Every structure is written in structure tokens, then in C-alpha cells.
Amino acid sequence: MAAVDYPPALKRLAAQLRRLPGIGPRSAERVSLWLLGGAEGVRCREVAEALQEAADSVRACPSCGFFTEAELCEMCADPQRAGGPLCVVEQATDILALERTGVFRGRYHALGGRLAPLDHVGPEDLRIGTLLQRCRAEPPAEIVLALGADVEGEATARYLAELLRAEFPGVRLSRIAQGLPAGGGLESADELTLSRALSGRVTV
Amino acid sequence: MAAVDYPPALKRLAAQLRRLPGIGPRSAERVSLWLLGGAEGVRCREVAEALQEAADSVRACPSCGFFTEAELCEMCADPQRAGGPLCVVEQATDILALERTGVFRGRYHALGGRLAPLDHVGPEDLRIGTLLQRCRAEPPAEIVLALGADVEGEATARYLAELLRAEFPGVRLSRIAQGLPAGGGLESADELTLSRALSGRVTV
């Protein structure tokens, strides 16, 4: 006698959910059963609609790479941000993290990743061409490199700094600071963080 | 200046995902961004399709309450299980857990819950009428009550036992055993578990 199991459509749903980040096999099964638990499959349909709507209407802003439903995202469309500083980040999701600090009010540019030769990610795989085009079309007051403090982030920042300094010698080029994380004591900081905090010390 | 945020359709998707069990606000946002990360919204569409398909084709077996895509589930449709024991459970998902043990080969009946007066769940809210109908139409060799060992499970089992004994005096009525969980030592068992394990002792 073949083992009894859930119907194929339920298993296909669980298989799709298992692909999502942070969802393991057990949690995919649990979520599938919950989704099918509503009357007449209403839960499934509501989530399916939200997915369909997001797929249909959300796209990447052709200028900065952030998410938008319009032609341009609200930051690229905002005339008050024109001619201000331009902040270069790795991922579109980094933009909102920086924006939420409230410290920076300029435009952004998401590269869509960082240089990683071991993963076969070269300059041509990143949105570097569009970055240069944007800077040529409307030279920013400053270019802020807000890339990760890891090896790939460092390498990407160094590569971009060289490129941008050569083409836009008049534009101020900066990198976000490295040092102690807020709330962190010296005892919990590693050697590299401490050495960077020291060499990046600011006069008070 | 209004704070920049993700587009409305992305936020509606995250709101839908936040309803799923085990998904918090941060994880809903993370999953939404991942779903929108694929080219042309292909990830969104694949999951939406699986949801739509499951909603369209998976239903509750009208006899036992398990999930099925056919008229009856494979256990209710299996002639080899006819006339055997009938196992009563709270939730349809309990069926697969019992079936996977390989110890029981009969039919099942999911009540769709348990008596919980505080939550306004009375006998009329459970699939008790269909249970009686099934037993009248095809008297089982035995009725096994496989309900939870908590207060509501106990109350439901006692209620059903009384009802079934009155209407089907010739049918053997049993409950699954309570006692030490497999792999558990006496030191980790609570008093109630130990007292039930003692009173349920079996001659060896």
C-alpha cells in the first residue's frame, strides 16, 4: 500500500514556499496548511493576488535601482534632491536603511551587487555604466560610497574611487566611516575594527 | 518631506505575508524583497500560481476532512480500509502524523477542532454529526479516540465516548495511550504525565 501523503497541489505549494529565504521544509508545510485552512481557499487567493499585483506593478527605478511603481522612484523624481550628493550602495534595499537614518538627503545609486571575482561578478555585471552616465548628465555635489566594510565592499569602493576620480576630478568623493558600532564597547570590537576606528579618528 | 518608503504594492505583499504563521514583520519584508528580486517578477508569479492551483484543486474530503483533490481522499476511497477501525482526531493534519507511524491502517475522521466553551466552540461547531452518520452507514470495527492530552482534548474525548457508547453499544471504543514520551526520562516528566503513565500501566 502506497504511503498516504498530502495532495500534489499542496506539496507543490510547499515546494514553492520552501524556496523563500528563512523558510525550511517544516515551516513551508505549516504555512501551506494554514493557507489552505481558510474557507474556499480565500487565504491562498488573497496572497496570490498580492503577489500578482506586486509582480505587475513594482519595478526597479531605471535611474537608481530602487523599487518603484512609477516611471522614476520618488527620490529620483524629487527636484529638491537634484544636484545634491549621490550615494552609491550595493543593494536597492540599502537605500531605505540609509534613508531611514534621516542624515542624508540626496539621491542614491544601487550597483546591484559588488565586485566578487570568485563568484564571477565583474564591473560589467554591476550598474557602473549607468552611474557614470548619471554623473555626466548631472554632476553631483559629492559622491558618497556607502559600500560594505568587508573584502568585496572594500575592493568595489577602491575600484569605483579610482574610476570616478579619473573622470570627475572636480567632484568630492567620500566613503562612509568605519569604526566602533554604536553601543559597542572596545572589548567587543575586533582588531580590524579597532585599527580602522583609530586611523579614522576625528578631531574633537 | 514625506519619508521615503517601499511602493504600496510591495507593502501590501509584505502585509499579506505577515499574516502567515511564523512570519514576523522583518521576515515578511525580507521575503517580499526576495520575491520581487527575480527578473520580471517571475518568483512572485511562480508562488502565485502554486497558491492559485492549490486553492482551486485542494478541498477537504467530505467524509473524513483530510485534504484531497479527488471526490474522496485516498483513505476513504480505499476499499481495503472499509469496515476496519475508525480513528477520530481533532485536526486534518493529525491524520498524516498518525498515518506516518505505520501502526494504524483504518479510516480517520477529523472533527475540525475540539470542544472549547471559553472560545465558544460547542459540539455543533465540530464534525460530530458526520461522524455519527458515517458510523451508522458503515459501523466500524473499533472507534479510536486520538485527541490531545490537554484539558479540551480530554473533555472532547469524554463527550464523544458518552455519545458513541450510547448509540453504538456493540462497537469497541478506545483512546490512545498517555504516558512517558519516547526518549523521555522520568526526571523530565511532569506529575500529571507520571500519574497517567502509572494508572495506564500495562502488564508485561
Side-chain angles (χ1 to χ4, degrees), chain B residues 128-140 163 167-168:
Chain B
I128 294 178
T130 37
L131 172 63
L132 298 176
Q133 277 170 31
R134 284 182 75 184
C135 294
R136 279 178 211 133
E138 192 175 276
L163 201 73
E167 183 154 350
F168 308 102

Side-chain angles (χ1 to χ4, degrees), chain B residues 135 139-143 161 163-174:
Chain B
C135 294
E142 176 181 353
I143 301 175
L163 201 73
L164 294 167
R165 207 178 287 120
E167 183 154 350
F168 308 102
V171 175
R172 187 184 167 201
L173 198 62
S174 63

Side-chain angles (χ1 to χ4, degrees), chain A residues 19-162:
Chain A
R19 296 167 56 206
L20 308 184
I23 310 270
R26 293 202 49 102
S27 144
E29 190 180 289
R30 187 160 148 250
V31 169
S32 304
L33 292 167
W34 183 88
L35 282 164
L36 280 164
E40 308 283 324
V42 66
R43 290 180 190 160
C44 280
R45 282 183 225 285
E46 280 168 357
V47 178
E49 257 167 53
L51 282 159
Q52 203 64 55
E53 197 209 334
D56 289 343
S57 58
V58 180
R59 81 204 75 194
C61 171
S63 172
C64 74
F66 189 64
F67 303 92
T68 183
E69 292 183 27
E71 199 59 51
L72 286 175
C73 79
E74 48 181 313
M75 293 169 289
C76 288
D78 180 358
Q80 294 198 301
R81 298 199 189 221
L86 180 70
C87 181
V88 181
V89 297
E90 293 175 13
Q91 300 296 348
T93 48
D94 298 334
I95 294 176
L96 212 52
L98 290 167
E99 188 64 18
R100 280 173 180 163
T101 65
V103 169
F104 182 83
R105 277 288 174 275
R107 284 188 177 151
Y108 295 88
H109 190 88
L111 296 172
R114 67 265 193 89
L115 296 179
L118 293 177
D119 298 330
H120 308 288
V121 181
E124 66 288 354
D125 300 311
L126 304 179
R127 299 178 66 250
I128 294 178
T130 38
L131 172 62
L132 298 177
Q133 277 170 32
R134 282 183 76 183
C135 294
R136 278 178 213 132
E138 192 177 276
E142 175 182 353
I143 301 175
V144 183
L145 301 176
L147 306 170
D150 50 357
V151 178
E152 285 101 348
E154 293 284 329
T156 312
R158 229 168 292 136
Y159 175 86
L160 283 179
E162 207 165 305

